[in-house]
Amino acid sequence: VPEIGCLSIIVLGASGDLAKKKTFPALFHLYCQGFLPPIEVHIFGYARTKISDDELRNRIRGYLVSERSASPSKDVSKFLQLIKYVSGSYDAAEGFQMLDKEISKHETSKNSLEGSSRRLFYLALPPSVYPSVCRMIRRYCMKKSNLGGWTRIVVEKPFGRDLGSAEELSSQIGELFDEPQIYRIDHYLGKELVQNLLVLRFANRFFLPLWNRDNIDNVQIVFREDFGTEGRGGYFDEYGIIRDIIQNHLLQVLCLVAMEKPVSLKPERIRDEKVKVLQSVLPIKDEEVVLGQYEGYRDDPTVPDHSNTPTFATVILRIHNERWEGVPFILKAGKALNSRKAEIRVQFKDVPGDIFKCKKQGRNEFVIRLQPSEAMYMKLMVKQPGLEMSTVQSELDLSYRQRYQGVTIPEAYERLILDTYDPCPFLSLKYYCLQCLPLQLDKR
Ligand code: BG6
């Protein structure tokens, strides 16, 4: 292990659901696959609950091993030993001073002490405490960084309730940290088939001429879950399905489906194209919105008795530009439905001058299934095999499980967390490490 600094990952809200179910398991999988940087790494949990290191470890343990990671218990124990716990409130100096002391105590590498310590603060917390937590981090937990060290913060949606509150939150955090230090993550962007959208659209000749209003009738972006709020009613009821799923996850997907080709793969250039799509979306018409609430939602003890928060919504978005004028983008999201599925369906127009009466049998459709069982398939008309000249709808099917047997598809959070630190510390110091270089090149 080269003596070249130290990475501390601090999970704030460590005893909450997100941390237990997503953040720690993602860190664990990165650890098992060797994707934590080859330097000194420490993981800290921070929350209000007063528990010991071992109590936190025991709470997390059961969530680490999933069906996709049959990691031996030796790995689990070694990983858990990396985790320390500090308790404190989210708005008082004391806890954060203690946290800083604890982190510093473990930053033993000589270079960390001289300024190359990297501190990643992951806020697995509700946005109402973001400003105070960021203030505390800024005031008490920042290290001088002159040898390639840094402090970064990771926040998730919901980022405010509306434009005003999102802008306010942004400016509050912006006063404390520079933009490159702030990682606003949306885990849908880490899903394999969402990541694949750019490649699919811009590396395949046959989609280029078809991807427009002349050929596409409508685009459906659908999210359905077969379970309800499950103890998260308190959070969910405050936000509803539109803020929970549509405004973030589905809009990100819509942007990737609808945007023009970015001039490069630099994050800023991709963002520019997404912003143009969003700026072209027309105001939504009342008659193009359907809202609903599943029966039994109010039985959840954490949901107010008279709540009318939607748990289901269909919204039609219309993009006013040359490529998409007249093509409805139908966004649907719902909880407690009859199945769990997230997919994009691109439905093509009918063939003009159809001599086979294909219309009756169905249109061409291109489906990208984000989950479960990642797949892409194209519904198309073929001749029914046999002596007769009749047509039938069939599929060109790329099912990931079959095609990429033996390849583990990373969890969305793994990919996003990996992007928040430099897996090769040498690169940030402008040296090249032969061991890590291929990894960096792959990532680019
Ligand atoms: C979260 C929402 O962002 O996404 C949850 O807050 C939802 O309500 C979850 O259940 C769905 O994520 P995934 O990756 O399971 O589709």
Side-chain angles (χ1 to χ4, degrees):
V1 176
E3 278 278 311
I4 161 165
C6 169
L7 171 68
S8 302
I9 300 173
I10 304 105
V11 182
L12 298 124
S15 53
D17 247 30
L18 176 64
K20 269 190 315 209
K21 293 187 182 157
K22 301 287 184 188
T23 322
F24 286 118
L27 287 169
F28 174 61
H29 289 133
L30 289 168
Y31 166 80
C32 292
Q33 297 165 84
F35 278 100
L36 290 182
I39 53 169
E40 197 184 306
V41 177
H42 301 283
I43 301 174
F44 299 86
Y46 182 91
R48 284 177 303 204
T49 328
K50 286 197 167 45
I51 48 172
S52 66
D53 290 356
D54 278 340
E55 277 170 302
L56 177 71
R57 291 171 187 153
N58 289 337
R59 285 185 186 198
I60 297 168
R61 189 185 297 273
Y63 293 94
L64 296 185
V65 182
S66 61
E67 47 184 62
R68 57 160 287 239
S69 68
S71 297
S73 54
K74 182 169 102 262
D75 285 349
V76 174
S77 307
K78 271 170 77 183
F79 171 77
L80 287 174
Q81 284 315 307
L82 294 178
I83 303 177
K84 292 101 202 160
Y85 181 74
V86 177
S87 75
S89 79
Y90 294 122
D91 55 4
E94 209 190 341
F96 284 86
Q97 284 168 327
M98 182 89 95
L99 180 62
D100 180 62
K101 218 165 124 195
E102 193 61 22
I103 303 171
S104 305
K105 195 168 94 194
H106 288 89
E107 285 172 335
T108 53
S109 130
K110 179 174 163 292
N111 280 313
S112 309
L113 304 175
E114 286 170 5
S116 74
S117 80
R118 303 172 180 89
R119 293 184 174 186
L120 181 71
F121 291 88
Y122 189 108
L123 277 60
L125 291 167
S128 52
V129 297
Y130 289 173
S132 71
V133 168
C134 288
R135 232 175 289 125
M136 293 292 130
I137 295 172
R138 171 89 227 172
R139 213 170 283 163
Y140 302 107
C141 301
M142 296 278 284
K143 263 304 241 333
K144 264 207 213 106
S145 56
N146 48 16
L147 276 175
W150 44 249
T151 299
R152 293 177 183 163
I153 62 153
V154 181
V155 292
E156 280 203 58
K157 59 99 218 197
F159 199 77
R161 279 190 67 76
D162 50 21
L163 181 62
S165 53
E167 283 178 343
E168 195 184 328
L169 198 52
S170 247
S171 84
Q172 285 171 330
I173 300 178
E175 280 168 19
L176 303 165
F177 296 99
D178 296 333
E179 185 58 29
Q181 292 179 283
I182 308 168
Y183 287 73
R184 301 176 185 83
I185 65 171
D186 180 311
H187 80 281
Y188 264 60
L189 292 175
K191 290 192 185 277
E192 184 64 38
L193 285 199
V194 175
Q195 296 240 323
N196 186 47
L197 282 170
L198 283 179
V199 180
L200 196 70
R201 284 201 52 207
F202 302 119
N204 287 300
R205 182 73 198 222
F206 38 60
F207 288 121
L208 298 178
L210 295 182
W211 213 256
N212 55 43
R213 62 193 298 265
D214 297 333
N215 300 290
I216 292 177
D217 183 83
N218 67 77
V219 178
Q220 299 167 33
I221 303 175
V222 180
F223 165 94
R224 25 170 77 240
E225 245 173 14
D226 54 359
F227 52 90
T229 46
E230 306 218 315
R232 289 172 75 229
Y235 150 79
F236 186 87
D237 198 71
E238 212 187 306
Y239 291 95
I241 196 77
I242 293 181
R243 289 186 180 89
D244 190 46
I245 301 289
I246 296 188
Q247 179 276 332
N248 33 73
H249 304 327
L250 300 198
L251 272 192
Q252 287 287 357
V253 172
L254 172 133
C255 286
L256 290 166
V257 171
M259 74 188 205
E260 299 301 318
K261 181 149 105 184
V263 292
S264 76
L265 289 177
K266 287 205 170 125
E268 294 79 9
R269 300 294 78 82
I270 295 175
R271 181 214 44 209
D272 293 347
E273 294 307 328
K274 288 177 166 180
V275 169
K276 283 188 215 156
V277 172
L278 295 175
Q279 285 171 335
S280 312
V281 173
L282 296 173
I284 297 165
K285 295 182 191 148
D286 283 352
E287 64 273 23
E288 297 196 326
V289 179
V290 176
L291 299 176
Q293 188 184 79
Y294 68 83
E295 223 181 302
Y297 171 67
R298 296 179 205 170
D299 298 342
D300 180 333
T302 54
V303 168
D305 290 347
H306 302 290
S307 166
N308 60 3
T309 298
T311 63
F312 174 88
T314 297
V315 179
I316 299 183
L317 297 188
R318 298 185 181 269
I319 301 173
H320 181 56
N321 66 17
E322 213 173 310
R323 188 185 286 274
W324 296 117
E325 185 78 51
V327 180
F329 280 75
I330 304 160
L331 272 49
K332 287 186 195 169
K335 287 199 169 271
L337 298 174
N338 52 5
S339 62
R340 173 174 178 260
K341 195 180 271 187
E343 63 181 15
I344 305 163
R345 302 188 88 89
V346 179
Q347 205 169 81
F348 287 85
K349 292 189 169 171
D350 297 326
V351 174
D354 172 23
I355 52 172
F356 298 106
K357 305 208 171 31
C358 293
K359 196 173 171 182
K360 273 199 197 138
Q361 289 169 311
R363 284 168 154 175
N364 285 159
E365 214 173 351
F366 179 49
V367 182
I368 302 165
R369 190 163 66 227
L370 311 182
Q371 64 189 36
S373 312
E374 292 84 352
M376 287 188 273
Y377 54 94
M378 214 175 252
K379 288 192 173 179
L380 72 179
M381 301 305 298
V382 296
K383 179 185 158 302
Q384 171 85 55
L387 289 175
E388 274 175 44
M389 175 49 95
S390 59
T391 56
V392 66
Q393 191 175 56
S394 194
E395 280 149 27
L396 283 178
D397 192 349
L398 174 60
S399 168
Y400 273 43
R401 203 173 284 166
Q402 280 168 9
R403 185 70 182 81
Y404 300 112
Q405 276 175 23
V407 177
T408 308
I409 296 184
E411 278 288 318
Y413 277 93
E414 287 168 40
R415 193 148 11 206
L416 297 183
I417 293 176
L418 182 62
D419 278 349
T420 60
Y421 57 79
D422 311 313
C424 172
F426 290 90
L427 289 184
S428 56
L429 288 177
K430 306 269 182 290
Y431 290 107
Y432 292 92
C433 157
L434 290 177
Q435 185 192 343
C436 306
L437 195 59
L439 169 68
Q440 285 288 318
L441 293 178
D442 280 357
K443 267 170 64 70
R444 280 177 203 162

